[in-house]
């Protein structure tokens, strides 16, 4: 597939890219090469290929789901500047 300079300008405008006019011919050549590779890949026979989420057959290593101790609220509130009834008090901020 061969892209023209106008095709490159149109794609750049749609993508909101600013291109140097002197580089448009080079971009057209490079983008045409990329589209040629995509066309070549489309000819590959993938009828009996099972879709995969990852190319390697790996499973996620997860930690065991074990209940853990909760945060010690009293210890944190003991060092807080101002608390009341188990809550942290902060200055009122109005803008």
């Amino acid at each position: 597939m061969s892209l023209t300079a106008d095709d490159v300008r149109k794609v750049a405008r749609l993508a909101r890219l600013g291109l140097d006019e002197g580089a448009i011919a080079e971009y057209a050549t490079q983008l045409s090469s990329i589209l040629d590779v995509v066309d070549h890949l489309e000819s590959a026979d993938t009828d009996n290929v099972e879709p995969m989420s990852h190319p390697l057959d790996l499973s996620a290593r997860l930690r065991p789901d074990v209940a853990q101790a909760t945060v010690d609220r009293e210890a944190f509130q003991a060092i807080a500047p101002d608390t009341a009834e188990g809550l942290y008090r902060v200055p009122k901020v109005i803008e």
Side-chain angles (χ1 to χ4, degrees):
M1 174 177 242
S2 180
L3 293 177
T4 65
D6 290 334
D7 293 332
V8 173
R9 285 187 192 96
K10 182 177 179 182
V11 170
R13 183 180 56 80
L14 291 172
R16 306 288 194 260
L17 298 174
L19 296 182
D20 181 25
E21 283 295 320
I24 288 181
E26 182 181 350
Y27 286 129
T29 303
Q30 291 175 352
L31 289 172
S32 295
S33 297
I34 292 169
L35 293 175
D36 289 340
V37 170
V38 171
D39 283 340
H40 181 70
L41 289 175
E42 286 181 352
S43 66
D45 180 23
T46 59
D47 289 337
N48 296 322
V49 177
E50 185 177 332
M52 319 169 60
S53 62
H54 194 278
L56 302 176
D57 188 24
L58 300 174
S59 60
R61 296 185 309 173
L62 303 175
R63 64 172 173 78
D65 190 17
V66 178
Q68 297 177 351
T70 59
V71 174
D72 186 12
R73 179 186 295 183
E74 290 78 25
F76 287 116
Q77 288 193 345
I79 59 173
D82 191 11
T83 61
E85 299 176 8
L87 302 174
Y88 296 97
R89 297 184 59 183
V90 296
K92 187 180 208 178
V93 177
I94 299 176
E95 293 184 19

